[in-house]
Amino acid sequence: MEMNCEDSPSWWKNGVLYHMYLRSFADGNGDGFGDLKGAINRIDYISELGVNGVWLSPTSPSPNNDWGYDVSDYLGVHPDYGTLSDLEEFIDRCNRLGIEVILDLVPNHTSSDHAWFIEALADPHSPFRQYYVFSRGKPDGSPPNNWLDATGGSAWTLDPSSGEYYLHNFLPSQPDLNWWNEEVHKEFEGILRFWFDRKVAGFRIDVAHGVFKDELLRDDPPAPEISKEFSHFGLVETYSKNREDVHPLYRSWRKIADSYDPSRVLVGETWVNDISRLASFYGNDDELNLAFNFMFVFTEFNARAFSEIVGNTLNALPKGASAAWTGSNHDISRFPTRWADGDYDKIRMALAILLTLPGTVFLYYGDEIGMRDVDVPVELQRDPMTKLIPAARFQRDRARTPMPWQEGPGRGFCDPNTTPWLPFGDDDGLDVESQRRDPNSTLNLTKLLIELRRQVKESLLDYQLVEATDSIWRYRCGSLEVLANFGDEIYALETERSERVVSSRQLEGVVIRGDSCIEVGPKEVIVLKR
Ligand code: GLC
């Protein structure tokens, strides 16, 4: 199998982006929450990692019912994080170090505190009423249809003063926008331009698969028994999200992005279970530049499963398209826990694999040190969305705990006497400072892999499967050859003379006998440069 990327290299193509969950990255003003000042103080670290870009989690003002994913002003900066000029300074400082910054854009819904929604509720005849999805209930007074929100309750809340319901696919305080209204399109065009004008290099688009709903508001069908586990509380979101109508919208946004310069990037949060649907978000190289692949995220950690999902994805994407790979984010279990169950050999394998795939790699803050999920006692939990779901599949606070920069109280994240907004994990000597000192640490492995990726960035044009068995996955990607041993036995092979590059287990001294025999130990990845 051969995949080709476009000729023109963009900074993000085959690059690495660092997903900074700002609230947990570094506290610069002593309140226990991460902020822009804290992030600015840590820019050297980002630069030292060698990443090409940063994706900042939402920075807009918000009442924080969904920690920023409930926006009350798209053109502002949340005072918890600082000011617009702090954000501009962050972008500028990053740019000067050759790092681009993308923001999180939330077009599916606003906060109920947004001025548009306040107007919409106050006056049913206001033009802002049409910005949202209001509908009369059924004749018996029940909600217009069976759609369920993110807590499993009805996705409709009654506005008692008008007798109409409004739609919210997430929390009741996150009313969904009405993308059938051209005025909403115009507002967002203005929002895109506002940030592009401020040197933002692109956007991660929240709920990119879901912004359009069925105009007829038809009921979502029940999920077949076999896929109940992955359904939305027993329903398939055929009508409440996942409409094909999003494509013209992304074509129009791509035109805006390209009109600034073609290296701007639009990345979709595309939670779909089907690779051809994932591929559709790229359009004909005229929609999203990148679409997150959650099928990869939830792949089992074994040779066949990884090789299959990577091969299938690359085969399905349109010619020239770049895949978007990630293992962790703020909504799901971190990969060091989910894939590796805290086993550092596996964590390091996963990093070596992620960082040698063709396309764009997103590391979530802490991935580079193998940061695992943290048990957050119920009294300290802060995420209203997963707190509200007794049967939540995942308690999201576990993946959002503050970055451990060093040992001891405050962990270098905040003042030692300040209580961080979420608790730290164990003080286990695996913090950034400790790992900086250890030449064989996960952090140093990550840096080495990113550096290697930079060196061969332009060559990562094609992926070729060499071998996939129950325990071995061997592939070539540009000038790299990757040997991943998921099994318990040593894997020895004859290979052409290659420059030895890196082993996930031991940063110095890859075991190579003679010129051509390589041994890959259990739970080890060896990367060769050809
Ligand atoms: C996306 C975000 C998630 C948020 C939801 C609603 O899935 O990643 O954190 O809760 O959208 O905005």
Side-chain angles (χ1 to χ4, degrees):
M1 170 197 342
E2 287 225 348
M3 298 300 304
N4 292 313
C5 289
E6 260 172 20
D7 295 329
S8 62
S10 272
W11 63 273
W12 51 268
K13 281 200 172 169
N14 296 328
V16 182
L17 275 89
Y18 191 80
H19 172 188
M20 190 186 286
Y21 194 75
L22 198 49
R23 199 164 282 277
S24 295
F25 193 63
D27 175 14
N29 67 357
D31 63 1
F33 291 103
D35 49 41
L36 286 161
K37 198 165 157 232
I40 288 169
N41 293 338
R42 296 284 185 183
I43 280 185
D44 287 348
Y45 173 74
I46 303 299
S47 165
E48 186 186 307
L49 284 178
V51 297
N52 307 85
V54 170
W55 151 27
L56 281 181
S57 53
T59 44
S60 306
S62 157
N64 284 336
N65 288 322
D66 189 13
W67 295 109
Y69 286 99
D70 46 334
V71 175
S72 54
D73 172 10
Y74 287 92
L75 306 183
V77 168
H78 199 300
D80 282 0
Y81 293 135
T83 60
L84 180 57
S85 74
D86 292 331
L87 179 53
E88 287 176 315
E89 183 184 342
F90 178 77
I91 296 170
D92 184 51
R93 297 254 206 128
C94 283
N95 288 173
R96 277 193 264 152
L97 293 165
I99 299 164
E100 300 289 344
V101 177
I102 73 170
L103 298 185
D104 217 311
L105 182 73
V106 188
N108 182 67
H109 47 266
T110 68
S111 157
S112 51
D113 284 7
H114 195 292
W116 301 338
F117 192 68
I118 293 174
E119 279 292 313
L121 274 191
D123 176 7
H125 303 292
S126 139
F128 293 109
R129 187 81 170 186
Q130 304 306 320
Y131 276 36
Y132 295 89
V133 185
F134 280 88
S135 174
R136 294 244 149 240
K138 294 197 169 142
D140 66 0
S142 60
N145 63 26
N146 71 348
W147 297 354
L148 298 176
D149 74 6
T151 71
S154 171
W156 297 92
T157 288
L158 185 67
D159 162 29
S161 61
S162 67
E164 286 189 328
Y165 285 86
Y166 70 86
L167 175 68
H168 49 87
N169 265 317
F170 291 88
L171 297 173
S173 57
Q174 293 170 295
D176 276 42
L177 283 162
N178 171 16
W179 280 93
W180 297 107
N181 180 353
E182 272 309 310
E183 293 306 311
V184 172
H185 290 242
K186 284 188 202 146
E187 296 279 7
F188 272 81
E189 286 168 18
I191 294 165
L192 291 178
R193 289 185 193 283
F194 178 88
W195 291 111
F196 279 141
D197 286 340
R198 280 160 186 77
K199 299 204 171 64
V200 161
F203 296 93
R204 175 266 189 188
I205 301 164
D206 193 59
V207 198
H209 59 294
V211 299
F212 270 86
K213 285 87 195 165
D214 179 40
E215 223 176 346
L216 301 175
L217 305 182
R218 281 170 283 190
D219 274 358
D220 275 337
E225 204 52 50
I226 186 165
S227 57
K228 274 244 159 34
E229 198 195 333
F230 300 104
S231 70
H232 184 64
F233 301 101
L235 297 177
V236 182
E237 293 168 297
T238 310
Y239 296 109
S240 52
K241 296 194 181 91
N242 299 311
R243 308 305 295 164
E244 294 301 317
D245 316 78
V246 288
H247 299 292
L249 174 66
Y250 297 144
R251 280 197 285 278
S252 71
W253 287 3
R254 175 68 175 269
K255 277 199 187 113
I256 296 176
D258 286 352
S259 74
Y260 280 80
D261 72 68
S263 74
R264 307 278 164 135
V265 61
L266 299 176
V267 191
E269 186 208 18
T270 40
W271 275 90
V272 294
N273 276 332
D274 168 335
I275 294 185
S276 59
R277 288 217 49 232
L278 181 73
S280 75
F281 288 98
Y282 291 80
N284 186 20
D285 192 19
D286 58 354
E287 296 189 29
L288 303 182
N289 305 92
L290 293 168
F292 276 116
N293 182 344
F294 288 95
M295 291 157 283
F296 172 77
V297 171
F298 294 109
T299 296
E300 277 185 44
F301 193 76
N302 66 57
R304 281 198 199 281
F306 264 59
S307 119
E308 219 173 277
I309 186 70
V310 167
N312 290 347
T313 303
L314 295 173
N315 266 337
L317 295 192
K319 190 171 180 302
S322 285
W325 310 108
T326 193
S328 310
N329 77 26
H330 62 292
D331 292 328
I332 56 179
S333 172
R334 289 173 173 276
F335 80 74
T337 298
R338 198 189 55 257
W339 278 337
D341 200 17
D343 174 340
Y344 271 80
D345 289 340
K346 287 192 187 171
I347 294 171
R348 293 164 69 115
M349 280 185 79
L351 283 164
I353 289 167
L354 274 168
L355 289 163
T356 52
L357 292 176
T360 304
V361 181
F362 289 76
L363 292 182
Y364 185 45
Y365 80 99
D367 280 353
E368 70 278 20
I369 54 169
M371 187 170 169
R372 291 151 296 159
D373 294 346
V374 173
D375 281 331
V376 179
V378 74
E379 64 281 8
L380 297 181
Q381 289 175 12
R382 306 292 296 253
D383 176 17
M385 200 177 287
T386 49
K387 248 182 157 173
L388 283 172
I389 313 178
R393 279 190 204 122
F394 182 66
Q395 223 296 316
R396 299 188 300 183
D397 291 318
R398 295 168 58 81
R400 298 177 176 182
T401 58
M403 181 79 164
W405 293 97
Q406 62 189 48
E407 289 169 305
R411 299 285 212 295
F413 166 77
C414 59
D415 188 90
N417 302 316
T418 302
T419 306
W421 79 293
L422 281 173
F424 297 110
D426 294 338
D427 198 356
D428 52 8
L430 294 169
D431 52 88
V432 171
E433 275 316 313
S434 307
Q435 294 207 29
R436 266 184 172 143
R437 288 193 297 268
D438 172 2
N440 196 37
S441 66
T442 304
L443 175 61
N444 283 319
L445 170 70
T446 307
K447 284 188 198 164
L448 196 69
L449 289 162
I450 295 177
E451 166 58 23
L452 174 64
R453 190 174 180 87
R454 269 186 176 261
Q455 284 167 19
V456 300
K457 191 167 180 252
E458 310 308 333
S459 91
L460 299 177
L461 299 179
D462 64 295
Y463 165 89
Q464 281 176 288
L465 175 65
V466 181
E467 184 183 2
T469 67
D470 283 343
S471 54
I472 303 299
W473 179 26
R474 186 172 163 200
Y475 57 90
R476 295 199 178 125
C477 184
S479 50
L480 300 181
E481 173 152 358
V482 181
L483 312 164
N485 183 357
F486 289 76
D488 302 322
E489 311 277 325
I490 290 180
Y491 172 68
L493 81 157
E494 297 287 326
T495 181
E496 296 158 26
R497 192 189 174 98
S498 318
E499 197 184 315
R500 53 175 118 170
V501 183
V502 54
S503 147
S504 61
R505 294 191 70 160
Q506 188 58 48
L507 294 199
E508 282 151 15
V510 179
V511 187
I512 296 190
R513 287 198 312 260
D515 277 347
S516 58
C517 181
I518 297 182
E519 290 185 345
V520 191
K523 296 192 277 187
E524 180 176 34
V525 174
I526 287 187
V527 185
L528 302 171
K529 201 163 149 193
R530 298 186 298 140

